[in-house]
Amino acid sequence: MPRRATRGPLDADECVTSHPTPYTYPPPTPTSNLSTPDLRNVPIPASPATANTLVASLGPPPKDFSYILRPEIYHPLSQIDIPSPFRASRTNFPPTITTPLPTLLSTGHFRLAALSAARILTTSPLPTSPSEIFSLLYIRLACLTLINCNALAAQEIRCLEDINSSFYRDELTGKHLMPWELRVLAVRLQGDGRRKVSGYFELAREARGKVMDRREERKVWSERLADLGVGVANALVEMGDWQGAGRHLRSLRVGGGEERKLIRGRLALLWLRIGDLEAAKRMLNEGEEDRELKLLRPLVSMADGEYEKAVGEWGALRDESKEENAVVMQNLAVCLLYTGNLQEAQSLFEGLVDHGQSFHALTFNLSTVYELCTEKSRVKKLELAERVAAQEPTDLGWEKANLDFKL
């Protein structure tokens, strides 16, 4: 049986192009007052080439990111693990979920900021531009990590699936539509250690290409490339691959100037975390040493168990400083704690709290001192929570969890 001829869109175009149908006009009748039309003014149908040019000028259709705006993606946040003093703000005009996001972020209300970002993403009028959608998503996920809700952030990031897909790139320029910070955070949250390593290497390949191509942005991309190298080492440490992390650190190329000092400090901390004290010392001894690198030398003594020596080193740094350095005072108090000077350590910890400091290590260590010094440690911990909640909010974070006070 002969095959039936079919015609598709391309066949139709070819047909029109190869065999145009002539346009004819009826001859004028003797009684008609109309003249014969001027064929020079008749519009000519556009050719296929002209039509393609017109479509290209209009650009590709906008991409649909509505799947990120589904309310079921974003989880509610419980306040069970929040101490009672932090469940209500002490100010006359406490912030709410409708408070502008910049205000919530600048005052350290990260839980409310996460709720507010999810509300904007899922309520009418919905955001439409990719830049706004991904910016709000980054705020949501980053705030979840800041309030120790990494498990929820890892579940919510799954809506993006493969961030290296061509779907997330501009079809005309090839530029990635996500901000760099969101892409790095997505790699950190998605998958296990091996997937993190491969994700960091994928980003590093792009960053290396930018370093070679863009002279005006070379410094920015060089810093990003160095951060990714440290991220790979962290992922290997989390996997327990200490030897692999060591080999990777030795292969990193460190630049010069301020960038080299910054990377030297990070690498020294990673060597300490791995337990290679000699490598950490060699890293600190390379080149000039500024104040930030000096803060790492007492850490080497602490890692080696020489707390008496570390007390002297931290004390010297405290005397050299014109202003009170919370890092120096905190570590000095820890060394005093390990050498049995509990009262002096408690005095230093409480002095930092009185001066407005409330980071996690400080409140946790002070709670440990209360457990060692008194049988009524829970009362002292709740009093500490009251004191911290009464502090002025800052962008470092106001809200605390029960874990911060060992409750």
Side-chain angles (χ1 to χ4, degrees), residues 9 19 49 51 90 94 123 126 148 151 160 190 207 226 268 279 292 294 320 325 384:
H19 303 287
R90 304 302 182 88
T123 56
L126 297 173
N148 296 321
L160 298 179
Q190 288 180 338
E292 297 300 326
K294 284 183 179 180
E320 293 176 3
N325 190 312
L384 175 60

Side-chain angles (χ1 to χ4, degrees), residues 220-242:
V220 175
W221 286 101
S222 296
E223 293 176 354
R224 290 176 175 177
L225 186 61
D227 289 338
L228 292 173
V230 177
V232 170
N234 275 327
L236 292 173
V237 171
E238 292 175 3
M239 295 168 55
D241 188 359
W242 309 102

Side-chain angles (χ1 to χ4, degrees), residues 9 68 73 89 91 95 97 111 140 170 172 177 200 213 224 228 258 270 334 336 343:
I68 302 178
I73 293 177
S89 179
T91 61
I97 194 175
R111 183 178 296 269
R140 165 74 179 186
D170 188 284
L172 295 179
L177 299 176
Y200 284 137
D213 295 340
R224 290 176 175 177
L228 292 173
E258 294 298 324
L270 279 173
V334 170
L336 291 172
Q343 296 300 324

Side-chain angles (χ1 to χ4, degrees), residues 81 111 142-152 360 401 403-404:
D81 61 336
R111 183 178 296 269
C143 288
L144 288 179
T145 60
L146 289 173
I147 60 175
N148 296 321
C149 292
N150 293 347
L152 293 181
H360 169 74
L403 178 62
D404 294 317

Side-chain angles (χ1 to χ4, degrees), residues 166-187:
S166 59
F167 178 75
Y168 291 113
R169 291 191 177 274
D170 188 284
E171 295 183 4
L172 295 179
T173 64
K175 182 180 179 181
H176 209 287
L177 299 176
M178 293 185 191
W180 179 262
E181 294 78 11
L182 176 58
R183 297 171 66 188
V184 175
L185 181 60
V187 171

Side-chain angles (χ1 to χ4, degrees), residues 123-139:
T123 56
S124 183
L126 297 173
T128 56
S129 67
S131 60
E132 183 180 6
I133 292 175
F134 290 130
S135 176
L136 290 169
L137 181 61
Y138 174 71
I139 291 175

Side-chain angles (χ1 to χ4, degrees), residues 73-360:
I73 293 177
Y74 306 100
H75 299 76
L77 302 181
S78 173
Q79 291 190 345
I80 296 178
D81 61 336
I82 304 301
S84 56
F86 293 93
R87 295 181 184 178
S89 179
R90 304 302 182 88
T91 61
N92 295 329
F93 302 97
T96 64
I97 194 175
T98 59
T99 302
L101 268 175
T103 302
L104 294 175
L105 295 174
S106 63
T107 55
H109 290 84
F110 299 133
R111 183 178 296 269
L112 283 177
L115 293 171
S116 178
R119 181 186 66 85
I120 298 173
L121 283 169
T122 57
T123 56
S124 183
L126 297 173
T128 56
S129 67
S131 60
E132 183 180 6
I133 292 175
F134 290 130
S135 176
L136 290 169
L137 181 61
Y138 174 71
I139 291 175
R140 165 74 179 186
L141 297 175
C143 288
L144 288 179
T145 60
L146 289 173
I147 60 175
N148 296 321
C149 292
N150 293 347
L152 293 181
Q155 293 181 29
E156 295 181 4
I157 197 68
R158 292 177 183 173
C159 67
L160 298 179
E161 296 184 0
D162 183 12
I163 62 173
N164 296 316
S165 170
S166 59
F167 178 75
Y168 291 113
R169 291 191 177 274
D170 188 284
E171 295 183 4
L172 295 179
T173 64
K175 182 180 179 181
H176 209 287
L177 299 176
M178 293 185 191
W180 179 262
E181 294 78 11
L182 176 58
R183 297 171 66 188
V184 175
L185 181 60
V187 171
R188 174 186 162 194
L189 293 174
Q190 288 180 338
D192 55 6
R194 295 184 182 278
R195 188 172 180 182
K196 287 181 185 179
V197 172
S198 61
Y200 284 137
F201 270 104
E202 188 70 26
L203 294 177
R205 184 181 298 109
E206 178 179 348
R208 186 178 297 276
K210 300 293 185 182
V211 171
M212 302 298 295
D213 295 340
R214 302 187 178 185
R215 294 183 179 274
E216 66 277 5
E217 299 180 5
R218 177 172 294 181
K219 181 178 180 182
V220 175
W221 286 101
S222 296
E223 293 176 354
R224 290 176 175 177
L225 186 61
D227 289 338
L228 292 173
V230 177
V232 170
N234 275 327
L236 292 173
V237 171
E238 292 175 3
M239 295 168 55
D241 188 359
W242 309 102
Q243 295 182 355
R247 289 193 299 269
H248 172 72
L249 287 176
R250 294 186 184 92
S251 68
L252 292 180
R253 297 180 180 179
V254 183
E258 294 298 324
E259 178 187 354
R260 180 174 180 81
K261 293 180 181 179
L262 179 63
I263 299 302
R264 280 173 57 199
R266 294 180 179 178
L267 293 179
L269 286 174
L270 279 173
W271 285 122
L272 288 176
R273 184 178 180 185
I274 293 174
D276 194 337
L277 302 185
E278 294 301 323
K281 293 177 181 178
R282 286 195 301 270
M283 183 61 64
L284 293 176
N285 291 332
E286 292 180 0
E288 299 180 359
E289 185 177 65
D290 60 1
R291 176 166 177 76
E292 297 300 326
L293 292 177
K294 284 183 179 180
L295 296 178
L296 301 180
R297 291 198 175 277
L299 292 179
V300 177
S301 300
M302 295 175 66
D304 207 15
E306 299 179 356
Y307 293 104
E308 293 287 352
K309 178 182 178 181
V311 167
E313 292 173 335
W314 289 119
L317 290 174
R318 179 188 58 180
D319 298 336
E320 293 176 3
S321 178
K322 298 179 180 179
E323 299 178 358
E324 184 180 81
N325 190 312
V327 175
V328 173
M329 302 297 290
Q330 144 82 9
N331 285 285
L332 175 58
V334 170
C335 291
L336 291 172
L337 178 62
Y338 275 98
T339 55
N341 299 307
L342 297 183
Q343 296 300 324
E344 190 174 354
Q346 179 178 339
S347 177
L348 289 177
F349 285 137
E350 291 179 340
L352 289 174
V353 175
D354 293 337
H355 284 79
Q357 300 290 341
S358 60
F359 48 91
H360 169 74

